[in-house]
Amino acid sequence: MSSTSALHRGSTGGVPRHLGWTLALLALAQLLYGLDLNIVFVALPEIGKDLGFPGQTQQLVVSAYVVFAGGFLLFGGRAADLLGRRRMFVLALSLYAVSSLAGGLAPSPEIIVVARAVQGIAGALLLPSTLSLINTLFEEGPKRNRALAVWGGAGASGLTIGALLGGILTENFGWPAVFYVNVPFGGLVALAALFVIPRDPARTERRKFDLPGSLSVTGGATLLVFGLVEGPERGWGDGLVVGAFIVSALLLALFAVVENRSSDPLMPFRLFHNRNLTVGMLVTFLYMATFGVLPYFLTVLMQSVHGYSALQTGLGFLIPSLAIATGTQLGERFASRIGTRTTLIIGFVVGLIGTVALAFGFDADANYGLLVPGLIISGVGQGIVWTAMWIAAATGTAPQEQGVANGIASTALNIGNAIGLAVFTVIAEVGTEGKAGQALKAAKADGEFLVVMLTAAGMVAGLLVTLVLRRQQAPAPAPAPGGEEALAAR
């Protein structure tokens, strides 16, 4: 009997007694992951001022997290499959708590960057373990879709709530509070997981960790994301950036050779025969390169162009947070009734319309009210896509490979974010050279207007990729009692 079916035995109505609490913990963990991507954005000026960060290196506080989170995701997925999903979940949250404490206490730029790097590794261990727990504890179909909607609502909202919470904490308690908040949060969720999440099943087959594959892909992915993140800051011709890309390409080529020859590869290439996973991976990449970069440019608009305080900036993210949460729930309902493909199409179309509307709020003389319609419509589309893309990525993958499959999709998510920010931050700065005062603000707003319109164009690419998914029939209604026998008798 599978672990999933065993889990469903002996409980009322086929639903395990503690599964609701398990899902609540998994959603809280995903909220933490989403928060940490963006929570430091509005605190960067205060961190720079207090620790003596030069303006051009403050981005390292953000990029250290992105680089290591993106580089270690496949490793985290393999670890979840082999070492146990609950074990990795608890370990990841414990790492979050410890590194966050170190970040809040950091006396120097170097310490805070290292703390953020460890947070990134914790995130890379957490995301695949959380997703694979959902995809193995909840059977494929409406039950899993509902679970992913709850989990997705927490994670997608966390991307914008991070800015809201970061503003409130920085304004009232100082920048260390954006780190300290994770200490009790991560610690309590880790402790509760020991009592609520089912124990990892005993391993029934011997599998290798594929150390050569793990080292080569982790090193290659980490250096790739590093080059993408640092390219706009250092310049694309910088020796360190060019070297990172070259070594990354060599390591990823080595990884392909190792995986092709391994009897138990870290990333079996046959997984890509599953069209759902392949399309889900591409959609997660495009999602984070488009929807996922908008919070960063909204933060720049509100703080650098309109001069909002950290608290005002944070409050400005309340509306999109609510819109995204609404969209994730709509995504689950649509996916269960009309299929994942149609749901993704709806999400991208709504998001595209909302993002175009949002672009017209990127004006130096505009007020926040002009952003609101776009924030609402784009947020709903973003939430719909977020839930549906994870449903797509999880469909058709065997339970024992859910960790690495989720690691693949999650790696695409982080690389999409790194590439999106790398490309769009360069575009946004075009025309700002040598300007100051109101002229600089106008140039920044113009550059960001162009960026937001380009993200909308990227959503068209997501729409086209989605069309590759097979059409799905809407789930048939359950037969009435005796209905099957009546049909058989006809």
Side-chain angles (χ1 to χ4, degrees), residues 205-251:
E205 57 179 326
R206 291 184 62 83
R207 296 182 65 192
K208 296 180 293 185
F209 205 89
D210 186 14
L211 188 60
S214 297
L215 291 175
S216 56
V217 75
T218 300
T222 302
L223 288 171
L224 172 61
V225 179
F226 172 82
L228 291 168
V229 168
E230 289 301 302
E233 296 292 324
R234 294 174 173 270
W236 296 106
D238 179 80
L240 193 59
V241 172
V242 173
F245 283 134
I246 291 172
V247 178
S248 170
L250 292 173
L251 287 173

Side-chain angles (χ1 to χ4, degrees), residues 120-248:
I121 294 172
L125 300 177
L126 182 66
L127 186 55
S129 64
T130 306
L131 264 173
S132 54
L133 279 166
I134 287 177
N135 293 332
T136 52
L137 294 177
F138 295 86
E139 63 188 59
E140 191 171 305
K143 289 182 180 178
R144 183 186 292 175
N145 294 352
R146 282 193 291 272
L148 284 169
V150 173
W151 171 87
S157 296
L159 293 174
T160 46
I161 291 173
L164 169 62
L165 186 60
I168 293 171
L169 292 174
T170 302
E171 187 86 4
N172 292 285
F173 305 103
W175 68 262
V178 304
F179 290 91
Y180 290 147
V181 70
N182 292 330
V183 179
F185 192 174
L188 288 173
V189 174
L191 184 62
L194 298 175
F195 298 94
V196 173
I197 296 178
R199 288 180 178 274
D200 295 312
R203 289 173 60 185
T204 57
E205 57 179 326
R206 291 184 62 83
R207 296 182 65 192
K208 296 180 293 185
F209 205 89
D210 186 14
L211 188 60
S214 297
L215 291 175
S216 56
V217 75
T218 300
T222 302
L223 288 171
L224 172 61
V225 179
F226 172 82
L228 291 168
V229 168
E230 289 301 302
E233 296 292 324
R234 294 174 173 270
W236 296 106
D238 179 80
L240 193 59
V241 172
V242 173
F245 283 134
I246 291 172
V247 178
S248 170

Side-chain angles (χ1 to χ4, degrees), residues 452-475:
V452 177
M453 292 297 286
L454 289 173
T455 64
M459 292 170 199
V460 175
L463 185 60
L464 295 175
V465 168
T466 298
L467 296 176
V468 178
L469 272 177
R470 292 187 178 92
R471 292 181 182 275
Q472 293 170 283
Q473 297 280 334

Side-chain angles (χ1 to χ4, degrees), residues 180-364:
Y180 290 147
V181 70
N182 292 330
V183 179
F185 192 174
L188 288 173
V189 174
L191 184 62
L194 298 175
F195 298 94
V196 173
I197 296 178
R199 288 180 178 274
D200 295 312
R203 289 173 60 185
T204 57
E205 57 179 326
R206 291 184 62 83
R207 296 182 65 192
K208 296 180 293 185
F209 205 89
D210 186 14
L211 188 60
S214 297
L215 291 175
S216 56
V217 75
T218 300
T222 302
L223 288 171
L224 172 61
V225 179
F226 172 82
L228 291 168
V229 168
E230 289 301 302
E233 296 292 324
R234 294 174 173 270
W236 296 106
D238 179 80
L240 193 59
V241 172
V242 173
F245 283 134
I246 291 172
V247 178
S248 170
L250 292 173
L251 287 173
L252 292 176
L254 175 62
F255 171 68
V257 172
V258 168
E259 297 304 280
N260 214 28
R261 296 181 176 180
S262 175
S263 58
D264 187 12
L266 169 69
M267 189 179 74
F269 292 130
R270 58 179 166 72
L271 288 177
F272 295 104
H273 296 159
N274 176 2
R275 190 183 297 183
N276 285 291
L277 174 60
T278 303
V279 172
M281 176 190 72
L282 292 172
V283 170
T284 59
F285 173 89
L286 290 167
Y287 173 95
M288 208 60 183
T290 55
F291 288 115
V293 302
L294 291 177
Y296 173 79
F297 291 105
L298 278 166
T299 302
V300 173
L301 175 75
M302 287 189 258
Q303 286 192 315
S304 300
V305 177
H306 295 321
Y308 291 1
S309 68
L311 178 59
Q312 289 172 321
T313 302
L315 291 172
F317 280 92
L318 184 58
I319 287 175
S321 298
L322 295 173
I324 292 167
T326 301
T328 59
Q329 303 312 301
L330 289 174
E332 177 268 318
R333 287 168 173 77
F334 291 162
S336 296
R337 294 175 186 174
I338 60 178
T340 308
R341 179 179 185 266
T342 306
T343 302
L344 283 169
I345 290 171
I346 291 170
F348 273 119
V349 169
V350 172
L352 171 62
I353 294 169
T355 304
V356 171
L358 178 65
F360 290 97
F362 279 75
D363 187 290

